[in-house]
Amino acid sequence: MSSITNSTTQTILSSAKRMEFWFIILISISIAALLKALINFAIPTNKPTNKLPPSPFTIPIISNILWLRKSFLDLEPILRSLYAKLGPVVTLHIGPSTAIFVSDRLLTHQALVQNGAVFADRPPAGAAEQILTCNQHNINSASYGLTWRILRRNMSAEILHPSRVRSYSHARKWVLQILLDRLRSKSEPGEAIRVVDEFHYAMFCLLVLMCFGDKLSENQIKEIGSVQRNLLVRFTKFNVLNFWPTATKILLHKWWQEFYKLHQEQKDVLIPLIRARKKAKEESLSKFKEGKEEYVVSYVDTLLDLELPEEKRKLDEGELMTLCSEFLNGGTDTTSTALQWIMANLVKYPQIQEKLFREIKGVVGDGEVFLIKEDDLQRMPYLKAVILEGLRRHPPGHFLLTHAVTEDTTLDNYLIPKNGVINFAVAEMGWDPKVWEDPMSFKPERFMSSDGCRAGEGFDITGSKEIKMMPFGVGRRMCPAYGLGMLHLEYFVANLVWNFEWKAKDGDCVDLSEKFEFTVVMKNPLQACISPRSKYLP
């Protein structure tokens, strides 16, 4: 009996001690919270006390995963309905992040232009993205700081400088000839051509040449394109791997294997090209110094000599590869997509195509002109208006790349927390009925001056004074290659319209919300001086 009593007493004492322990913890937490509240009241901080922008009803964890599985294309109609209900700034909980979406052009200007330094950062990369970007060592994903400035300045000064852009005119002419020859070889009366593939291939050829400095074979170009496309297309699927990577490496082991395999394939294709260019550069420079050949700088050349001042080292092969990958993807898909939409509208609106052809003919005359020269483009205001209207109505990307803020700040009286993820809706701003009359129509004339002799007069595509559309972004993270992109679009559209008459298949109406094919009817500029009325527009 005595032993039972002692055991019971010990149990009671042990329970009392545990209760006392938790009671002390509870009291300590309560006192700490009270002290924090008193300190905050007595010593106000500069942190905003505003709330996050409104958000739809969500179920924690479940909603996060569901949003994570959606691409921006899936999100866009949902966001449009949320803007109508909640206003131009909304919050979604996507994976481990709280993402804020902005659709208002004035708020976007306030954030990216007026308060650009605060909104110029990028969010930390997820586990999969860290691998693809070598821990964010490329222009698009690098944090706002010295490394980003070095990488961006290198591209702007070494590749995008006007003199360097002119040095690639031979490359543009070469690629244009490839595109025209492929279209001619496939064009038969009444037969449709899937031109999006031809546009993409042509743009990719051009970027490969600018990147690696060599005219690679068709098989090599297709091999590079295949590995780049596989990673790009499947990356939405791999986004899930960023959500709790420790768990996904176990639960989604096969997905990680697939991801590593695709990344290795990219290495196997791009790194040998980088090594070959490094060797060729050394040989070419020695011949150039001897006056034996002309040397044109490639993007890889500029990267080989680049040093990262913070780390006091040159770029390694993985970083060179991710920068080359960024260069190829950034200039190919955007330009080929914009080109496709512009040509689609010229098919749908033949009167615009006719007016554009008249302008080109008025500039180059009736001589034996095979290709439109780059110098002639400056005398074609309607061409520029067509390009601007195409970018406004059909921006290649409907959202900017995700931004992050460097400190707690406010936007439209809402809190944007430090390191908060914020997205800007490009398409919504280009379709704003408060800015553009009948915004969903394709009307290049809206960019023409009253006398019809100048295009885009007073219109600033950089959005520095006011945002009316921003197909290339705005502010400090604006695409540095917007000038090159405009040149490529003007050059290729002018030559495509000059060489071919574009019609819909069998006279069908072109539905710009769906995929479509074109019938290409050849024009022969050589006959312009012989029978301009029978073959060409009078």
Side-chain angles (χ1 to χ4, degrees), residues 317-369:
E317 285 188 336
E319 291 162 340
L320 291 171
M321 184 189 74
T322 193
L323 285 161
C324 290
S325 175
E326 175 186 55
F327 184 82
L328 296 174
N329 286 340
T332 299
D333 289 292
T334 51
T335 308
S336 61
T337 300
L339 182 59
Q340 181 191 10
W341 282 114
I342 291 167
M343 297 308 299
N345 277 284
L346 295 182
V347 170
K348 185 171 184 178
Y349 304 106
Q351 71 277 13
I352 297 178
Q353 183 179 168
E354 176 183 338
K355 184 175 179 178
L356 178 56
F357 178 76
R358 287 176 183 273
E359 178 181 70
I360 298 170
K361 183 171 166 48
V363 170
V364 300
D366 295 331
E368 296 183 358
V369 178

Side-chain angles (χ1 to χ4, degrees), residues 64-83:
N64 288 17
I65 296 175
L66 291 176
W67 291 125
L68 190 67
R69 285 290 292 139
K70 290 183 179 292
S71 68
F72 276 128
L73 291 177
D74 301 323
L75 277 176
E76 191 168 14
I78 298 172
L79 285 168
R80 195 167 290 126
S81 66
L82 291 177
Y83 296 142

Side-chain angles (χ1 to χ4, degrees), residues 74 111 115 129 168 181 195 205 226 234 262 265 267 287-288 312 393 470 480 483 485 500:
D74 301 323
N115 204 15
E129 191 180 5
Y168 288 114
D181 290 344
V195 294
C205 281
S226 177
R234 301 188 199 182
L262 290 174
E265 289 174 357
K267 289 181 179 179
K287 293 179 181 179
F288 174 72
K312 297 181 180 179
R393 180 60 185 85
M470 53 175 196
F500 301 102

Side-chain angles (χ1 to χ4, degrees), residues 81-310:
S81 66
L82 291 177
Y83 296 142
K85 295 176 184 177
L86 304 176
V89 187
V90 299
T91 301
L92 290 181
H93 300 284
I94 302 178
S97 303
T98 298
I100 296 167
F101 291 83
V102 180
S103 66
D104 182 79
R105 65 187 187 91
L106 299 177
L107 293 176
T108 301
H109 188 271
Q110 179 185 332
L112 298 183
V113 179
Q114 296 174 357
N115 204 15
V118 175
F119 284 83
D121 208 1
R122 293 288 192 222
E129 191 180 5
Q130 281 185 6
I131 295 171
L132 285 182
T133 62
C134 284
N135 198 26
Q136 297 182 261
H137 275 71
N138 64 8
I139 299 172
N140 281 334
S141 68
S143 298
Y144 183 62
L146 187 55
T147 295
W148 170 77
R149 289 188 183 91
I150 292 295
L151 296 176
R152 184 181 171 98
R153 188 183 302 127
N154 173 72
M155 177 178 283
S156 298
E158 298 295 334
I159 296 298
L160 302 177
H161 189 275
S163 62
R164 187 58 48 78
V165 170
R166 285 194 295 272
S167 73
Y168 288 114
S169 60
H170 72 287
R172 286 186 286 277
K173 186 176 180 180
W174 172 66
V175 168
L176 174 63
Q177 195 62 61
I178 290 175
L179 175 60
L180 296 178
D181 290 344
R182 288 169 71 98
L183 290 175
R184 287 192 182 99
S185 67
K186 295 183 179 181
S187 62
E188 296 180 11
E191 292 297 321
I193 299 175
R194 184 176 165 80
V195 294
V196 61
D197 295 335
E198 307 304 329
F199 290 167
H200 189 275
Y201 178 76
M203 292 303 110
F204 197 70
C205 281
L206 179 54
L207 270 294
V208 166
L209 177 54
M210 292 178 69
C211 185
F212 299 108
D214 293 316
K215 295 179 180 179
L216 303 181
S217 68
E218 182 174 344
N219 288 337
Q220 285 178 298
I221 292 171
K222 286 184 176 179
E223 185 181 26
I224 300 168
S226 177
V227 297
Q228 292 293 107
R229 174 64 53 181
N230 285 340
L231 274 171
L232 196 64
V233 168
R234 301 188 199 182
F235 198 73
T236 300
K237 170 183 175 180
F238 295 139
N239 270 339
V240 178
L241 303 179
N242 297 321
F243 185 71
W244 202 2
T246 305
T248 59
K249 286 184 178 180
I250 299 172
L251 300 175
L252 301 175
H253 180 63
K254 290 186 177 179
W255 286 20
W256 274 104
Q257 282 186 321
E258 180 185 354
F259 171 73
Y260 285 131
K261 182 177 180 236
L262 290 174
H263 188 229
Q264 185 59 48
E265 289 174 357
Q266 185 187 40
K267 289 181 179 179
D268 294 341
V269 170
L270 295 185
I271 288 181
L273 292 172
I274 293 170
R275 291 173 180 171
R277 182 61 186 180
K278 183 178 181 180
K279 182 179 179 182
K281 178 186 176 183
E282 296 169 354
E283 296 173 353
S284 298
L285 281 177
S286 62
K287 293 179 181 179
F288 174 72
K289 289 177 181 178
E290 296 171 5
K292 294 181 179 179
E293 65 178 47
E294 182 181 359
Y295 183 71
V296 178
V297 176
S298 71
Y299 185 48
V300 171
D301 295 336
T302 69
L303 296 175
L304 290 171
D305 297 327
L306 201 62
E307 291 189 2
L308 302 178
E310 289 182 318

Side-chain angles (χ1 to χ4, degrees), residues 58 92 211 248 431 447 474:
T58 57
L92 290 181
C211 185
T248 59
W431 301 339
F447 287 98
V474 296

Side-chain angles (χ1 to χ4, degrees), residues 16-30:
K17 287 180 179 179
R18 285 199 299 270
M19 290 177 65
E20 181 182 355
F21 172 77
W22 286 111
F23 180 75
I24 293 172
I25 293 294
L26 182 60
I27 292 297
S28 300
I29 293 173
S30 301

